[in-house]
Amino acid sequence: MELPDFMNHSNYFSPNEFLEKIARVAKRAGAKFVYASLILYYTLQSPNVSKRDKALIIGALGYMISPLDVLPDAYPIVGLSDDMAVLLFVLHKVWNNVDPDIQQKAKERLNSWFDEDELQEASRLFDDEA
């Protein structure tokens, strides 16, 4: 899958809209999608992340929030696959900025939405990438 130009969507990002979208699509999107999103969201808040990496993260999260997707989110099953591809692409790029505290914070947030089986799926973040 070729990635869309997600950086054109950075103006859609806002912390409130991000959290609203995650809460709205959490169960449908799955634990892996939500975990990747939360890791990027919390990494964005880290003072140790470069401006370049923050711009990538904002672009990816903006793309996720944007109603203008290559595959609209309303399409069952495939609607979030382009979002997941963008999230994983950026997560690979910034992974060296993701410390264990960020991963733990994201997992703690997942606990409120998912059961144990789904949480295990999230721990295999880069397996079977979209």
Side-chain angles (χ1 to χ4, degrees):
M1 171 189 281
E2 186 176 325
L3 288 178
D5 185 6
F6 62 88
M7 291 304 293
N8 287 335
H9 294 80
S10 61
N11 58 326
Y12 285 101
F13 176 75
S14 81
N16 288 340
E17 289 183 41
F18 167 76
L19 293 173
E20 286 174 16
K21 170 108 182 210
I22 286 295
R24 191 172 61 249
V25 302
K27 281 295 187 182
R28 182 170 55 103
K32 190 184 260 190
F33 180 93
V34 175
Y35 185 48
S37 301
L38 289 171
I39 287 174
L40 288 174
Y41 177 71
Y42 292 132
T43 301
L44 180 62
Q45 297 171 10
S46 172
N48 302 324
V49 179
S50 71
K51 287 182 182 180
R52 179 191 166 279
D53 286 351
K54 285 186 179 194
L56 285 172
I57 293 169
I58 288 171
L61 296 179
Y63 184 81
M64 186 197 78
I65 293 168
S66 171
L68 306 172
D69 283 1
V70 171
L71 298 170
D73 296 346
Y75 291 146
I77 302 171
V78 298
L80 294 171
S81 62
D82 60 325
D83 297 63
M84 185 64 173
V86 168
L87 293 174
L88 290 176
F89 173 80
V90 172
L91 197 52
H92 271 292
K93 295 284 186 187
V94 302
W95 189 250
N96 61 328
N97 293 310
V98 179
D99 62 39
D101 291 341
I102 289 171
Q103 294 175 50
Q104 185 58 38
K105 191 172 183 179
K107 283 181 182 178
E108 288 170 5
R109 188 74 181 249
L110 281 181
N111 285 329
S112 63
W113 289 317
F114 298 99
D115 63 27
E116 189 58 38
D117 290 339
E118 294 167 313
L119 292 173
Q120 288 179 5
E121 172 197 341
S123 68
R124 296 182 304 273
L125 193 56
F126 296 119
D127 294 353
D128 301 318
E129 290 181 15

